[in-house]
Amino acid sequence: MKQMREGKAMQRLAGLMRKAVQDYEMLAPGDRVLIGVSGGKDSVALTVGLALLREYIGFDYQLQAVTLDPQFGGAPGDYAPLADLMARYGVPYQVRRTDIGPVIFDQRQEKNPCALCAKMRRGALHTAAQQLGCNKVALGHHLDDAVETFYMNLWQEGRIGCFSPVTYLSRRDLTLVRPMLLATEAEVKAAVYEEGLPIVKSRCPADGATTREKTKEFVRERCRTDHAFRQKTLHALQGSGIDGWRPLHTGRNSFAVPQQQD
């Protein structure tokens, strides 16, 4: 375990993660939690934050980090910096090579690859969790992701909804948790930058050319004129209680963990 004192940005991120974990009862004593580490800032910050949180949350849980290498271009990725980082924080780590890249871009030549890629990655991650004896999977979604998902669902599908803070996968007997959902993307970036955490850039040919990028720009523009825009959306999600967003500590509702088939 790393012995240096973390900076203020990482301490703030860990504090927001602690609040989310407690508000939504994401973790419990004895949990074995799988983290899918792509190498991007979100998954790296999530891993370090959960490792730090073990020191003062008041109960013990285990972590297992896994990188699913999509092997874009048919070549394996280099994740040595991530292996070093995991060793510093005492997190067991595996790299699993997959054929996701070749299947999507070479064999099927998907014009809109993101949905299929996400589905294949989810399946591989859930399988890894089961094989490694994990009962929970931690995902690196932050508040900006939630805000963007809410508006994408509204505009593209005409429905009110978002991903859930906690989701039980009945067919897999796994629970998905999102410990960073109260932190903004800027807060995640600040923690990663301050700590000098290593980032492995995605080699995906479609990286940055997605519908979500357009929504992200809309949210950024709205926040320039209304600094409380993200928090207003968060309060709307929590106040309505849709998709399990009402915090447990309010006592206004019993909390039902949403179920979905994966």
Side-chain angles (χ1 to χ4, degrees):
M1 175 68 69
K2 187 181 178 185
Q3 298 299 316
M4 291 193 308
R5 179 180 176 83
E6 278 67 33
K8 291 183 178 180
M10 180 55 75
Q11 290 177 22
R12 172 166 176 75
L13 178 61
L16 289 169
M17 292 173 64
R18 180 181 186 178
K19 178 171 174 55
V21 166
Q22 293 175 333
D23 282 359
Y24 295 100
E25 294 186 1
M26 293 183 179
L27 300 178
D31 276 345
R32 183 167 172 82
V33 186
L34 183 80
I35 309 170
V37 185
S38 66
K41 68 181 187 314
D42 299 337
S43 61
V44 168
L46 173 67
T47 306
V48 173
L50 285 175
L52 295 174
L53 204 55
R54 289 184 297 187
E55 299 179 10
Y56 57 86
I57 200 169
F59 59 86
D60 189 37
Y61 56 85
Q62 298 180 54
L63 298 175
Q64 171 69 59
V66 169
T67 292
L68 300 172
D69 181 10
Q71 300 197 94
F72 292 121
D78 179 10
Y79 299 99
L82 297 183
D84 292 341
L85 178 68
M86 302 305 157
R88 284 165 53 197
Y89 283 91
V91 178
Y93 178 60
Q94 287 186 9
V95 176
R96 296 191 170 198
R97 309 295 180 185
T98 75
D99 59 358
I100 292 175
V103 166
I104 291 176
F105 292 103
D106 301 329
Q107 297 176 23
R108 300 185 53 152
Q109 298 182 359
E110 291 281 331
K111 294 182 179 179
N112 299 297
C114 297
L116 178 59
C117 182
K119 181 178 180 180
M120 293 179 71
R121 284 189 288 108
R122 280 197 304 270
L125 190 64
H126 300 163
T127 296
Q130 291 178 303
Q131 291 175 345
L132 292 167
C134 297
N135 65 311
K136 291 185 177 174
V137 176
L139 304 176
H141 297 113
H142 45 62
L143 179 56
D144 287 60
D145 291 323
V147 173
E148 292 156 16
T149 298
F150 175 81
Y151 288 107
M152 287 174 68
N153 286 338
L154 179 62
W155 296 333
Q156 296 181 26
E157 301 179 23
R159 66 181 179 89
I160 302 296
C162 189
F163 54 69
S164 303
V166 178
T167 306
Y168 178 61
L169 303 179
S170 57
R171 289 175 56 186
R172 295 274 193 171
D173 193 23
L174 290 172
T175 299
L176 309 183
V177 297
R178 295 175 166 91
M180 294 201 305
L181 58 76
L182 299 181
T184 65
E185 183 173 22
E187 287 168 323
V188 173
K189 283 183 178 178
V192 170
Y193 176 79
E194 182 181 70
E195 299 300 313
L197 302 180
I199 301 301
V200 177
K201 183 172 174 53
S202 171
R203 296 188 292 124
C204 174
D207 190 37
T210 66
T211 302
R212 181 170 289 274
E213 286 300 316
K214 298 177 183 177
T215 310
K216 187 184 292 290
E217 180 53 39
F218 164 81
V219 172
R220 280 196 292 257
E221 183 58 35
R222 288 293 296 123
C223 289
R224 291 189 188 104
T225 57
D226 181 359
H227 298 310
F229 182 73
R230 292 183 185 87
Q231 293 300 322
K232 288 177 181 177
T233 305
L234 172 62
H235 292 161
L237 287 167
Q238 292 181 323
S240 68
I242 60 171
D243 297 325
W245 273 85
R246 193 185 305 281
L248 277 172
H249 70 78
T250 63
R252 287 180 289 178
N253 264 11
S254 59
F255 180 73
V257 176
Q259 296 194 16
Q260 70 181 44
Q261 300 295 329
D262 58 326

Short mmCIF file of all heavy atoms in Angstrom, two decimals, residues 72-73 101 104-105 109-118 121 201-213:
data_model
loop_
_atom_site.label_atom_id
_atom_site.label_comp_id
_atom_site.label_asym_id
_atom_site.label_seq_id
_atom_site.Cartn_x
_atom_site.Cartn_y
_atom_site.Cartn_z
N PHE A 72 -7.17 -3.67 -30.17
CA PHE A 72 -7.48 -2.93 -31.38
C PHE A 72 -6.32 -3.04 -32.36
O PHE A 72 -5.15 -2.95 -31.98
CB PHE A 72 -7.76 -1.46 -31.06
CG PHE A 72 -9.03 -1.25 -30.27
CD1 PHE A 72 -9.00 -0.63 -29.04
CD2 PHE A 72 -10.25 -1.68 -30.77
CE1 PHE A 72 -10.16 -0.43 -28.31
CE2 PHE A 72 -11.42 -1.49 -30.05
CZ PHE A 72 -11.37 -0.87 -28.82
N GLY A 73 -6.65 -3.23 -33.62
CA GLY A 73 -5.62 -3.41 -34.64
C GLY A 73 -4.96 -4.77 -34.57
O GLY A 73 -3.96 -5.01 -35.24
N GLY A 101 -11.75 -6.04 -30.35
CA GLY A 101 -11.35 -5.15 -31.43
C GLY A 101 -11.42 -5.80 -32.79
O GLY A 101 -12.07 -5.28 -33.71
N ILE A 104 -15.12 -6.50 -33.94
CA ILE A 104 -15.94 -5.34 -34.27
C ILE A 104 -15.45 -4.62 -35.52
O ILE A 104 -16.24 -4.29 -36.42
CB ILE A 104 -15.99 -4.37 -33.08
CG1 ILE A 104 -16.78 -5.00 -31.93
CG2 ILE A 104 -16.62 -3.04 -33.48
CD1 ILE A 104 -16.80 -4.17 -30.67
N PHE A 105 -14.14 -4.39 -35.60
CA PHE A 105 -13.63 -3.54 -36.68
C PHE A 105 -13.12 -4.33 -37.89
O PHE A 105 -13.18 -3.83 -39.01
CB PHE A 105 -12.52 -2.64 -36.14
CG PHE A 105 -13.03 -1.60 -35.19
CD1 PHE A 105 -12.87 -1.74 -33.82
CD2 PHE A 105 -13.70 -0.47 -35.65
CE1 PHE A 105 -13.35 -0.79 -32.94
CE2 PHE A 105 -14.19 0.49 -34.77
CZ PHE A 105 -14.01 0.33 -33.41
N GLN A 109 -16.81 -5.15 -39.21
CA GLN A 109 -16.68 -3.81 -39.78
C GLN A 109 -17.90 -2.93 -39.45
O GLN A 109 -18.53 -2.35 -40.31
CB GLN A 109 -16.47 -3.89 -41.29
CG GLN A 109 -15.19 -4.63 -41.68
CD GLN A 109 -14.95 -4.69 -43.16
OE1 GLN A 109 -15.74 -4.19 -43.97
NE2 GLN A 109 -13.84 -5.29 -43.56
N GLU A 110 -18.19 -2.87 -38.15
CA GLU A 110 -19.35 -2.14 -37.66
C GLU A 110 -19.23 -0.63 -37.97
O GLU A 110 -18.20 -0.03 -37.69
CB GLU A 110 -19.51 -2.33 -36.15
CG GLU A 110 -19.90 -3.73 -35.75
CD GLU A 110 -21.39 -3.98 -35.95
OE1 GLU A 110 -22.18 -3.02 -35.87
OE2 GLU A 110 -21.75 -5.15 -36.18
N LYS A 111 -20.29 -0.06 -38.54
CA LYS A 111 -20.30 1.37 -38.79
C LYS A 111 -20.59 2.16 -37.51
O LYS A 111 -20.14 3.30 -37.35
CB LYS A 111 -21.35 1.71 -39.86
CG LYS A 111 -21.02 1.15 -41.24
CD LYS A 111 -22.06 1.55 -42.25
CE LYS A 111 -21.72 1.00 -43.63
NZ LYS A 111 -22.74 1.35 -44.66
N ASN A 112 -21.37 1.57 -36.63
CA ASN A 112 -21.67 2.17 -35.33
C ASN A 112 -21.24 1.18 -34.24
O ASN A 112 -22.08 0.43 -33.71
CB ASN A 112 -23.16 2.50 -35.22
CG ASN A 112 -23.60 3.49 -36.28
OD1 ASN A 112 -23.13 4.62 -36.30
ND2 ASN A 112 -24.49 3.08 -37.16
N PRO A 113 -19.95 1.14 -33.93
CA PRO A 113 -19.40 0.06 -33.11
C PRO A 113 -19.62 0.16 -31.61
O PRO A 113 -19.47 -0.82 -30.89
CB PRO A 113 -17.90 0.14 -33.41
CG PRO A 113 -17.66 1.59 -33.68
CD PRO A 113 -18.90 2.07 -34.40
N CYS A 114 -20.01 1.33 -31.10
CA CYS A 114 -19.98 1.55 -29.66
C CYS A 114 -20.93 0.64 -28.88
O CYS A 114 -20.57 0.12 -27.82
CB CYS A 114 -20.29 3.01 -29.35
SG CYS A 114 -19.04 4.15 -30.02
N ALA A 115 -22.15 0.45 -29.39
CA ALA A 115 -23.13 -0.36 -28.66
C ALA A 115 -22.67 -1.81 -28.55
O ALA A 115 -22.73 -2.42 -27.47
CB ALA A 115 -24.49 -0.29 -29.35
N LEU A 116 -22.18 -2.38 -29.66
CA LEU A 116 -21.72 -3.77 -29.63
C LEU A 116 -20.48 -3.90 -28.76
O LEU A 116 -20.35 -4.87 -28.00
CB LEU A 116 -21.42 -4.26 -31.05
CG LEU A 116 -20.89 -5.69 -31.16
CD1 LEU A 116 -21.88 -6.68 -30.55
CD2 LEU A 116 -20.59 -6.04 -32.61
N CYS A 117 -19.58 -2.95 -28.85
CA CYS A 117 -18.36 -2.98 -28.04
C CYS A 117 -18.71 -2.96 -26.56
O CYS A 117 -18.18 -3.74 -25.77
CB CYS A 117 -17.47 -1.79 -28.39
SG CYS A 117 -15.90 -1.75 -27.47
N ALA A 118 -19.64 -2.07 -26.18
CA ALA A 118 -20.05 -1.97 -24.77
C ALA A 118 -20.68 -3.29 -24.30
O ALA A 118 -20.42 -3.75 -23.19
CB ALA A 118 -21.03 -0.82 -24.59
N ARG A 121 -17.90 -5.91 -23.89
CA ARG A 121 -17.08 -5.61 -22.72
C ARG A 121 -17.83 -5.94 -21.42
O ARG A 121 -17.23 -6.46 -20.48
CB ARG A 121 -16.64 -4.15 -22.73
CG ARG A 121 -15.52 -3.86 -23.73
CD ARG A 121 -14.96 -2.47 -23.59
NE ARG A 121 -15.88 -1.45 -24.05
CZ ARG A 121 -16.54 -0.60 -23.28
NH1 ARG A 121 -16.39 -0.64 -21.97
NH2 ARG A 121 -17.35 0.30 -23.79
N LYS A 201 -3.95 5.60 -22.96
CA LYS A 201 -4.91 6.14 -23.92
C LYS A 201 -5.52 5.04 -24.76
O LYS A 201 -4.84 4.12 -25.20
CB LYS A 201 -4.24 7.18 -24.82
CG LYS A 201 -5.20 7.84 -25.80
CD LYS A 201 -4.55 8.98 -26.53
CE LYS A 201 -5.46 9.55 -27.62
NZ LYS A 201 -6.79 9.92 -27.11
N SER A 202 -6.82 5.16 -24.99
CA SER A 202 -7.54 4.19 -25.81
C SER A 202 -7.05 4.24 -27.26
O SER A 202 -6.82 5.33 -27.81
CB SER A 202 -9.04 4.47 -25.78
OG SER A 202 -9.72 3.68 -26.73
N ARG A 203 -6.90 3.07 -27.87
CA ARG A 203 -6.52 2.99 -29.28
C ARG A 203 -7.73 2.70 -30.16
O ARG A 203 -7.58 2.33 -31.32
CB ARG A 203 -5.46 1.90 -29.47
CG ARG A 203 -4.15 2.20 -28.76
CD ARG A 203 -3.05 1.22 -29.13
NE ARG A 203 -3.34 -0.12 -28.60
CZ ARG A 203 -3.41 -1.22 -29.35
NH1 ARG A 203 -3.25 -1.14 -30.66
NH2 ARG A 203 -3.66 -2.40 -28.79
N CYS A 204 -8.93 2.89 -29.60
CA CYS A 204 -10.15 2.61 -30.36
C CYS A 204 -10.27 3.56 -31.55
O CYS A 204 -10.16 4.79 -31.37
CB CYS A 204 -11.38 2.75 -29.46
SG CYS A 204 -12.93 2.58 -30.34
N PRO A 205 -10.53 3.05 -32.76
CA PRO A 205 -10.67 3.92 -33.94
C PRO A 205 -11.85 4.88 -33.84
O PRO A 205 -11.85 5.92 -34.49
CB PRO A 205 -10.89 2.91 -35.08
CG PRO A 205 -10.30 1.63 -34.59
CD PRO A 205 -10.54 1.62 -33.11
N ALA A 206 -12.85 4.54 -33.00
CA ALA A 206 -14.04 5.40 -32.87
C ALA A 206 -13.95 6.33 -31.67
O ALA A 206 -14.90 7.04 -31.37
CB ALA A 206 -15.29 4.53 -32.75
N ASP A 207 -12.82 6.34 -30.97
CA ASP A 207 -12.69 7.13 -29.76
C ASP A 207 -12.92 8.61 -30.04
O ASP A 207 -12.29 9.19 -30.93
CB ASP A 207 -11.29 6.94 -29.16
CG ASP A 207 -11.17 7.55 -27.77
OD1 ASP A 207 -12.16 7.47 -27.03
OD2 ASP A 207 -10.10 8.09 -27.45
N GLY A 208 -13.84 9.23 -29.29
CA GLY A 208 -14.11 10.66 -29.43
C GLY A 208 -15.12 11.01 -30.50
O GLY A 208 -15.48 12.17 -30.64
N ALA A 209 -15.60 10.02 -31.26
CA ALA A 209 -16.54 10.30 -32.35
C ALA A 209 -17.90 9.68 -32.04
O ALA A 209 -18.46 8.97 -32.84
CB ALA A 209 -15.99 9.75 -33.66
N THR A 210 -18.43 9.96 -30.87
CA THR A 210 -19.67 9.33 -30.44
C THR A 210 -20.75 10.37 -30.18
O THR A 210 -20.49 11.57 -30.04
CB THR A 210 -19.44 8.52 -29.14
OG1 THR A 210 -19.10 9.44 -28.10
CG2 THR A 210 -18.32 7.52 -29.32
N THR A 211 -22.01 9.88 -30.09
CA THR A 211 -23.13 10.74 -29.77
C THR A 211 -22.96 11.37 -28.40
O THR A 211 -23.34 12.52 -28.16
CB THR A 211 -24.44 9.94 -29.82
OG1 THR A 211 -24.58 9.37 -31.12
CG2 THR A 211 -25.64 10.84 -29.52
N ARG A 212 -22.36 10.60 -27.46
CA ARG A 212 -22.17 11.13 -26.11
C ARG A 212 -21.29 12.38 -26.13
O ARG A 212 -21.49 13.28 -25.31
CB ARG A 212 -21.55 10.06 -25.21
CG ARG A 212 -21.34 10.53 -23.78
CD ARG A 212 -20.95 9.40 -22.86
NE ARG A 212 -22.05 8.48 -22.62
CZ ARG A 212 -22.96 8.65 -21.67
NH1 ARG A 212 -22.94 9.73 -20.89
NH2 ARG A 212 -23.92 7.77 -21.49
N GLU A 213 -20.34 12.46 -27.04
CA GLU A 213 -19.48 13.64 -27.11
C GLU A 213 -20.30 14.89 -27.40
O GLU A 213 -20.01 15.97 -26.88
CB GLU A 213 -18.39 13.45 -28.17
CG GLU A 213 -17.29 12.48 -27.77
CD GLU A 213 -16.56 12.93 -26.52
OE1 GLU A 213 -16.24 14.14 -26.42
OE2 GLU A 213 -16.30 12.09 -25.65
#
